[in-house]
Every structure is written in C-alpha cells, then in structure tokens.
Amino acid sequence: MTTQRLSVDDWIGAALDIMATDGIGGVKIQRLCDELGVTKGSFYWHFKDLDAFLDAIAERWRDGEGRFRSRLDDAVRSDPKRGLSNTVSAFLDRRLGRLERAMRDWSRTDDRARAAIKSADKRTFDALVSGFEGLGFDRGESDVRAKILFYAGVGFGDVGPIGDRSEPARQLETLVDLLTR
Amino acid sequence: MTTQRLSVDDWIGAALDIMATDGIGGVKIQRLCDELGVTKGSFYWHFKDLDAFLDAIAERWRDGEGRFRSRLDDAVRSDPKRGLSNTVSAFLDRRLGRLERAMRDWSRTDDRARAAIKSADKRTFDALVSGFEGLGFDRGESDVRAKILFYAGVGFGDVGPIGDRSEPARQLETLVDLLTR
DNA sequence: CACGTACCATACCCGACGGTATGGTCCCCG
DNA sequence: CGGGGACCATACCGTCGGGTATGGTACGTG
C-alpha cells in the first residue's frame, strides 16, 4: 500500500487508533499485526515486549498532548476569554475526546497512563487558572473557577451530552459566561 | 467462617468489592472463588455463565443506585440547597465513588453497564434540575446550572482532587454557592 | 559480488481463563 | 431411615494471547 516497511511510529499510531475506538483493552498484538498486514515477528523486532510497547504509547500520547496544551497556553495568554473557550471546546472534539477517555480509563489500572494524564491535567488546569487571572480574578477566585471549568470539561467527556435538544457548543458558552462574570 | 454456604448475593457482593478496587477487569471467576474459599463448581451452580453473572452485577448496582438516588430526591424536595450539597457530596464518598468510577469505565465497553449508568445519571440530573427550580430559577437556568454541577461532580470523581492544599468539601460549598446565587 | 543488517514470516511453547462433566457430602422431608 | 435435592470439589478441555526461536528476503556498502 503506502509504505512497505513499518516504523515504530506506525505501530504506535495504529495502537492509538484502536484505543480511540475500543480502549486499551482492544490493543492486542495479533490485532495490530492484522491491521498492519504483518505478523508478530515484526512486532517483536520493533519492541522488546508488550510492556515496552505500552511505555511507548503512553510516552507518545504525553508528548502529543504536551504540544497540544502548549498551543492552548499561548491562546490563553493572548486572549484569556477566547482561550478559555478554546480550551474547553477541546473537550468536545470527538476523536480527541475518545482518545483522552481511553487514556483515563487506562490510567485506572496503569501507572504510566496515570502519570501521563496527571501531567496533562496539570498543564490544562494551570492554563485555565492563568486565564481567569488574566480576566482580573484574584488567585483564589481563579483557582475555584478553573477547577469548576476543568472538572465540568472532564465530566462532559465522560458522560456525553445530556438530554435530547442539547447543543453542547452553546451550553459551553453559557458556562464560560457564567464563570467569567 | 460466617456462612458456610454461599448465596447469589455473596457472589455479587464480592464482585462489587473487587470492582471498587481493581475495576471490572479484576472480576475473574477463579479470583472470586479464592476470596470466597470455594471452587468453580460452586460458581457454575449459582450462575449459568459469566455473562449471566455480569447481568446480575449490573442489575444489582442499578437497583442499589436507584434506592440511593431516590433518597437524594427526597432530600432535594424537602430542602433544595442542602439537598444539592448532599447530592454532590455523594461524589466525594471514596468507596461509592470508586464503584461508580468502575461502572463508568465498564460502560465504555459493555451495554448493560452503559444502560445502568445512563438511568442513574438521568435520575441524578433530574434531581439537580428540580433542586435549582426549587430555589427559584426558571427551567432554562436550572437546566444549565444542573448540567454544570453534574458534569463537575462526575469530573471530580474521574480526576480526583487537584493541588496539594485542596480541601474537596470546602471547594464543593464554594461551587454550590456560586451556582445558587 | 560477497556480506552484514534491517525487517519480517513461520512455527511452536506456555499460562491464564472460561466452561463442562461428574462425583461427593450434607440436610431435610416423607 | 432412605431418597432426593441443594451445594460444592475435582478433573479435564478449548481458546486466546503473550512470548521465543529460527529461518528467510531485500537492500545497502565495501
């Protein structure tokens, strides 16, 4: 097809795709081989074992998430209110949301995933705090509001939209408005 | 020890205990047998197979959760503001929270768990809405505030406390205050 | 052109786990 | 007191998935 030979990133990318749909439980060596049109001999050439592979997955998610959050940091610094909206609207992105969800589920039973999630959460939360501070709120008020916004974002990613006529984007604006007044 | 012979509820109870610590992934027949001091012959006498057992687990959680939420409903009806606090403080209960978290994780890959979670969520959310309505907010305002409170509660159960000097209970009061003004 | 290395196929082993068949023990009831 | 059902032990099977050993092919390099 595209590339005849595979690279390490190809394997990790395939794993992340699976995680976004079926969670970490769907990541099996044999399944990866099938989807990549290859056998296990290939896998064990690129990676020592499954554990090392999972290390690489968590690490790559951490890096990718790091770059993503740093972009949000810049957005918050330049325009706090718009930056806040953008940060939270990231929770609404389906594909991104599903991957993050899979990571959170995985983090319940795996320390690597927990560490990755924790560092990403810290970045996001700090960005939210400085966003509120940029709007004039003092340290304490910013802290509380950032927590609410952050928890609500995670909760939304967990539960999904509530009700029939719910329009997530609009509700989000209402939430941000309510917290920035 | 206590009871020489086991009942269906003993098995389900043991499974829920395991779920609260290790999630649904820790629920293995052999492990249950070990903890109950019994062999697989016993399990397959009480239950047709693992699938039927998981049915029973989801059903029992649903029932227990139903009774729990109905108590919250009463609390909200009698004293809206205190009822709201109590409802959200339920998210802070460690043991309860860990079980609910395990159910949510499980619901990502299982329809029974998803249905159970969904019905429980609907109950909780409706209670929150009527709580805000009881405080004088109109339908729309109550809906938005209930969503924020609900999402934030779920998110808190997902992420856990943020920061070092964070005192969850105090933050909760601040959140409720902020939403009820 | 020989040769080493990167990349992969094939074949096999092993443990964990769900599931089944069958026999045993205790207790209640007629 | 004898029989039947509730409850459990033992032994065994099949499958799935991780892991390993080894051989094969293509490609670059001296």
Side-chain angles (χ1 to χ4, degrees), chain A residues 101 104-105 108 121 125 144 147-148 150-152 154-156 158-162 165 171 174-175 178, chain B residues 101 104-105 108 121 125 143-145 147-148 150-152 154-156 158-162 171 174-175 178:
Chain A
R101 193 96 288 293
R104 289 191 190 281
D105 292 346
R108 228 78 62 186
D121 281 352
F125 176 71
V144 173
K147 284 199 172 88
I148 295 173
F150 178 74
Y151 284 140
V154 174
F156 180 83
D158 190 333
V159 177
I162 296 179
R165 77 238 174 294
Q171 293 176 12
T174 311
L175 168 56
L178 199 144
Chain B
R101 193 92 290 287
R104 290 191 190 279
D105 293 345
R108 228 79 63 185
D121 280 352
F125 176 72
D143 190 79
V144 174
R145 283 171 160 76
K147 284 198 172 86
I148 295 173
F150 179 73
Y151 284 140
V154 174
F156 179 83
D158 189 333
V159 177
I162 295 180
Q171 294 176 11
T174 312
L175 167 58
L178 199 144

Side-chain angles (χ1 to χ4, degrees), chain B:
Chain B
M1 287 295 223
T2 53
T3 56
Q4 209 70 354
R5 312 297 261 204
L6 297 177
S7 71
V8 170
D9 273 4
D10 292 329
W11 286 93
I12 300 179
L16 291 180
D17 284 344
I18 292 178
M19 281 186 66
T21 59
D22 295 348
I24 193 66
V27 178
K28 307 285 168 62
I29 296 175
Q30 188 57 51
R31 177 171 173 184
L32 284 167
C33 293
D34 292 344
E35 294 191 1
L36 292 175
V38 132
T39 63
K40 296 199 297 183
S42 175
F43 177 88
Y44 285 99
W45 188 90
H46 289 285
F47 307 97
K48 176 179 169 293
D49 53 16
L50 181 66
D51 203 62
F53 182 57
L54 295 178
D55 279 344
I57 292 176
E59 183 185 353
R60 171 151 150 185
W61 185 86
R62 193 176 200 150
D63 293 347
E65 208 64 10
R67 280 192 297 275
F68 179 69
R69 315 272 171 172
S70 71
R71 291 213 315 272
L72 292 180
D73 285 1
D74 298 340
V76 168
R77 244 179 290 277
S78 65
D79 183 346
K81 187 156 184 178
R82 259 188 58 86
L84 288 180
S85 284
N86 288 347
T87 300
V88 181
S89 70
F91 286 107
L92 303 182
D93 186 297
R94 287 288 300 257
R95 185 162 185 73
L96 212 66
R98 290 186 66 87
L99 222 189
E100 177 174 332
R101 193 92 290 287
M103 284 294 296
R104 290 191 190 279
D105 293 345
W106 187 26
S107 76
R108 228 79 63 185
T109 56
D110 188 286
D111 288 333
R112 295 166 293 222
R114 171 155 39 228
I117 282 284
K118 190 170 182 178
S119 75
D121 280 352
K122 180 169 170 41
R123 270 192 92 106
T124 303
F125 176 72
D126 289 346
L128 291 179
V129 171
S130 59
F132 280 109
E133 286 180 337
L135 288 176
F137 294 101
D138 64 36
R139 185 86 174 82
E141 280 290 322
S142 297
D143 190 79
V144 174
R145 283 171 160 76
K147 284 198 172 86
I148 295 173
L149 196 52
F150 179 73
Y151 284 140
V154 174
F156 179 83
D158 189 333
V159 177
I162 295 180
D164 331 286
R165 77 244 174 290
S166 59
E167 202 177 338
R170 231 186 104 73
Q171 294 176 11
L172 170 64
E173 290 304 322
T174 312
L175 167 58
V176 175
D177 282 347
L178 199 144
L179 288 176
T180 54
R181 74 169 64 141

Side-chain angles (χ1 to χ4, degrees), chain A residues 15-139:
Chain A
L16 291 179
D17 284 345
I18 293 179
M19 280 186 66
T21 59
D22 297 347
I24 193 65
V27 178
K28 308 285 168 65
I29 296 177
Q30 188 56 52
R31 177 172 174 184
L32 285 167
C33 294
D34 293 344
E35 295 189 2
L36 292 174
V38 131
T39 63
K40 295 199 297 183
S42 175
F43 176 87
Y44 283 99
W45 188 89
H46 289 285
F47 307 96
K48 177 179 170 292
D49 54 15
L50 181 66
D51 204 61
F53 183 57
L54 296 179
D55 279 343
I57 292 177
E59 183 184 353
R60 171 153 151 183
W61 184 87
R62 194 174 197 154
D63 293 347
E65 207 66 8
R67 281 193 296 276
F68 178 70
R69 315 271 171 172
S70 72
R71 292 213 316 272
L72 291 179
D73 285 359
D74 299 339
V76 167
R77 246 180 287 276
S78 64
D79 183 347
K81 188 157 185 180
R82 257 188 60 86
L84 287 180
S85 283
N86 288 346
T87 299
V88 182
S89 68
F91 287 108
L92 304 181
D93 185 297
R94 287 290 298 260
R95 182 161 186 73
L96 212 65
R98 290 185 66 86
L99 222 190
E100 177 173 332
R101 193 96 288 293
M103 284 294 295
R104 289 191 190 281
D105 292 346
W106 186 26
S107 75
R108 228 78 62 186
T109 56
D110 187 284
D111 288 333
R112 295 165 294 220
R114 170 155 40 227
I117 282 283
K118 191 170 181 179
S119 75
D121 281 352
K122 177 166 172 44
R123 272 192 90 104
T124 304
F125 176 71
D126 289 344
L128 291 179
V129 171
S130 60
F132 280 109
E133 285 179 337
L135 289 175
F137 293 100
D138 65 37
R139 184 86 175 82

